[in-house]
Amino acid sequence: SFFFSSRRRHTRFLPVSWARRCVQETVIISLIILELLLSAYSFSFFCLGDINKSYNQIRIPVQRVEIEQSSTEVLDEQFLAEFNDNGEILLQASPDRIYKIMMQNHHNVQYLGVVYIGEHLQPYRIMFDTGSDWLWLADKQCNQCPQQIKRYSCGDEPNFCSYEFKKRAMQYGKGFVSGSLANITISFDQESLIKNMQALLTTKIKDLDKFQADGLMGVGQSKKKQHSSDRHSILDLLKESNRIQKKIFSIYLSDTMNPNDMSSELIFGDYDKNYADGPVVWHDLKTETGWFINLDSFNLGPHDIQSDAVMALVDSGSSLLIMGLDEFSQIINLLQTKYGAECEEQYGKYYCEGDYSRWPILRFIINGHSYELTSQSYVGPQGKIMISGRAYAKGMVILGDVYMRSYYCIFDADDKKIGITKAVSYTHLTLPTIYSVQISVVAVSLKKKI
């Protein structure tokens, strides 16, 4: 038999075996192309997933709306893939909606996430501060603001921003900001708008020259009760608009000097147990204003620190541990007299040399639970002591980023409590250890989606 082929006026006959071979090779090439396309799709689907950093779990976000790739994810539903004793994959769905904001670690000093502001949803690098309760940005007319801070022009967006024509000033340690109040529009995902967020548009910023962010968002408890009638916190606005189910958020801070690191994370609406290296211990708030919890005592190795501090503020806006002047002097004296440290003060900061491996654990006792920091935590680069004494800290201890890098903290505004657990080490968040399960989980996810 023959295969018939025609081209213009010329006619030729080809052997059927040759034609069959052409067809077979065409089919094979088509299958290879199809396989490559499916592999690319599977890889892209996997990349969109949020990988829980453990050996037997992968979390795959299922998104109702498609958003551009950014440092923020909006998760409407999550499938938590787990393995039973037979090696089969179990899928559990969580209906909670949460906002996840990845933060850049700026040399273990500041952690910055992206918030989108105004009509055109311009990205601003924002520091999230549990020690305060206001959002502030630099006004376009600010002539006394550091050059590196991005400005915002409220007057150019009358439908998305309105001035209240009220003046206000705020103190941040030595730092100071002042300006006018306004109601602005923000977004965490460039899709869902959060309107009527009250903010301070600053016209003066003083003694914040090393501030790397474009602004600051306070996520602390309101310091004045009367604010509740006319001002809403970001947690209030998220819950009232049904974007989160509970007024809760959590913060994980990585411990790395890499300025490109983006593994730190703030989650509005929930917390991720995979950041926890142990059980969560909950502590009731000591006051109605601020994230203050009870402090029993603290010590350096076997030496008790004589202190009148009765509470601790868990403060993501402070890079150091801050305590009263008296308590700080005791710690420096102990390091010098008991552990051979040679310390020198430079511009209000202490730098100490010595055998850091011999230096003792700094221990905080909170409601009978012990929280320990090794010398690797409280000694920074060039021997800088990551502890400071301040007159305004009398009667309390401020547990800043030095503490929060070691402990994963969960802030529950509804139930008025803070959950604390040992944080998973930054080195445990790398991906290669779970590559062996990626293909099987993606395959199940695709089947489930279809």
Side-chain angles (χ1 to χ4, degrees):
S1 61
F2 291 86
F3 176 78
F4 178 77
S5 174
S6 64
R7 182 182 180 186
R8 294 184 179 177
R9 295 184 179 178
H10 301 284
T11 303
R12 58 177 175 169
F13 293 85
L14 300 177
V16 71
S17 58
W18 186 90
R20 184 182 295 114
R21 181 178 177 183
C22 289
V23 172
Q24 290 174 343
E25 289 181 351
T26 301
V27 170
I28 292 173
I29 293 173
S30 300
L31 289 174
I32 292 173
I33 294 174
L34 179 61
E35 185 176 1
L36 290 173
L37 290 173
L38 288 174
S39 298
Y41 175 78
S42 298
F43 179 77
S44 63
F45 182 84
F46 169 73
C47 288
L48 289 173
D50 174 36
I51 304 171
N52 276 327
K53 295 84 180 175
S54 64
Y55 296 103
N56 64 343
Q57 295 184 352
I58 292 182
R59 178 174 293 170
I60 304 169
V62 180
Q63 302 174 325
R64 292 193 185 127
V65 293
E66 193 171 346
I67 61 176
E68 296 180 8
Q69 185 176 359
S70 67
S71 60
T72 307
E73 295 179 80
V74 182
L75 309 184
D76 285 326
E77 294 179 347
Q78 300 174 87
F79 284 100
L80 185 63
E82 299 180 326
F83 299 92
N84 62 17
D85 295 337
N86 299 323
E88 299 171 339
I89 298 176
L90 305 175
L91 294 177
Q92 298 175 342
S94 171
D96 296 341
R97 184 166 188 176
I98 64 176
Y99 283 91
K100 301 179 70 176
I101 300 174
M102 309 307 294
M103 296 185 292
Q104 179 188 16
N105 181 344
H106 185 78
H107 302 293
N108 271 5
V109 176
Q110 298 175 32
Y111 294 81
L112 312 179
V114 174
V115 176
Y116 302 94
I117 309 291
E119 178 180 5
H120 302 292
L121 297 176
Q122 294 297 310
Y124 286 74
R125 298 189 307 161
I126 299 295
M127 175 187 287
F128 296 89
D129 178 21
T130 59
S132 65
D133 60 337
W134 279 88
L135 167 66
W136 63 260
L137 301 167
D139 190 89
K140 182 180 180 180
Q141 305 301 324
C142 185
N143 297 320
Q144 301 184 57
C145 295
Q147 291 299 318
Q148 73 272 15
I149 293 182
K150 188 174 182 178
R151 271 57 167 179
Y152 173 67
S153 179
C154 179
D156 294 341
E157 304 181 333
N159 295 326
F160 291 82
C161 179
S162 59
Y163 282 108
E164 293 186 6
F165 301 104
K166 297 178 182 178
K167 301 292 186 180
R168 185 174 177 86
M170 285 176 278
Q171 192 82 28
Y172 295 90
K174 292 183 178 180
F176 172 88
V177 299
S178 63
S180 299
L181 298 181
N183 291 303
I184 68 173
T185 299
I186 71 170
S187 176
F188 293 119
D189 58 1
Q190 295 181 289
E191 293 286 343
S192 302
L193 300 181
I194 302 170
K195 298 183 178 181
N196 297 320
M197 179 74 190
Q198 192 174 51
L200 176 68
L201 301 184
T202 65
T203 53
K204 182 178 181 179
I205 299 178
K206 184 180 178 181
D207 292 332
L208 289 176
D209 294 335
K210 295 183 179 180
F211 192 65
Q212 297 297 316
D214 297 318
L216 181 143
M217 177 177 285
V219 286
Q221 298 280 76
S222 179
K223 290 182 172 57
K224 293 184 179 180
K225 292 182 180 179
Q226 61 264 34
H227 287 164
S228 60
S229 61
D230 58 2
R231 185 169 70 88
H232 298 277
S233 69
I234 184 60
L235 288 176
D236 293 330
L237 293 173
L238 288 173
K239 186 174 181 180
E240 289 171 5
S241 58
N242 202 29
R243 289 180 171 88
I244 59 175
Q245 293 189 354
K246 189 174 182 182
K247 292 196 294 185
I248 187 172
F249 67 96
S250 57
I251 298 178
Y252 173 83
L253 299 182
S254 65
D255 187 2
T256 173
M257 300 302 291
N258 179 6
N260 296 318
D261 171 65
M262 295 291 293
S263 62
S264 301
E265 184 174 75
L266 181 147
I267 303 176
F268 282 117
D270 204 353
Y271 65 94
D272 189 341
K273 65 180 180 182
N274 292 288
Y275 284 135
D277 191 16
V280 177
V281 179
W282 293 94
H283 302 281
D284 293 333
L285 296 184
K286 192 173 180 67
T287 67
E288 294 185 4
T289 58
W291 295 109
F292 289 95
I293 52 179
N294 182 68
L295 176 66
D296 300 333
S297 62
F298 60 106
N299 54 65
L300 186 67
H303 310 284
D304 290 334
I305 303 299
Q306 301 302 313
S307 173
D308 59 358
V310 295
M311 58 184 178
L313 172 65
V314 185
D315 182 10
S316 63
S318 173
S319 58
L320 305 176
L321 295 170
I322 300 177
M323 57 190 64
L325 294 170
D326 214 29
E327 293 87 338
F328 178 65
S329 296
Q330 292 179 56
I331 288 179
I332 294 297
N333 183 61
L334 285 170
L335 290 176
Q336 291 177 315
T337 59
K338 300 295 183 180
Y339 300 97
E342 296 181 2
C343 300
E344 178 183 0
E345 182 181 3
Q346 299 180 16
Y347 305 104
K349 302 173 184 177
Y350 274 82
Y351 293 82
C352 298
E353 296 182 355
D355 185 359
Y356 303 141
S357 64
R358 293 185 57 250
W359 290 11
I361 287 174
L362 179 59
R363 185 178 296 105
F364 297 93
I365 311 300
I366 299 173
N367 293 322
H369 296 271
S370 177
Y371 297 95
E372 300 180 345
L373 297 177
T374 66
S375 59
Q376 290 180 327
S377 298
Y378 64 79
V379 180
Q382 290 83 48
K384 179 183 177 182
I385 301 301
M386 305 298 288
I387 310 171
S388 182
R390 294 286 186 267
Y392 63 76
K394 183 176 176 58
M396 66 176 177
V397 171
I398 298 176
L399 303 176
D401 296 345
V402 173
Y403 178 85
M404 295 179 69
R405 279 192 287 272
S406 295
Y407 293 95
Y408 183 40
C409 297
I410 307 157
F411 303 83
D412 189 336
D414 281 337
D415 294 333
K416 308 294 183 184
K417 59 185 181 181
I418 297 178
I420 302 175
T421 179
K422 186 71 177 175
V424 170
S425 172
Y426 169 73
T427 56
H428 291 169
L429 299 182
T430 53
L431 304 182
T433 53
I434 58 173
Y435 278 167
S436 59
V437 299
Q438 290 177 1
I439 295 176
S440 61
V441 173
V442 170
V444 169
S445 300
L446 289 173
K447 182 177 181 182
K448 185 77 175 179
K449 189 168 184 172
I450 294 173

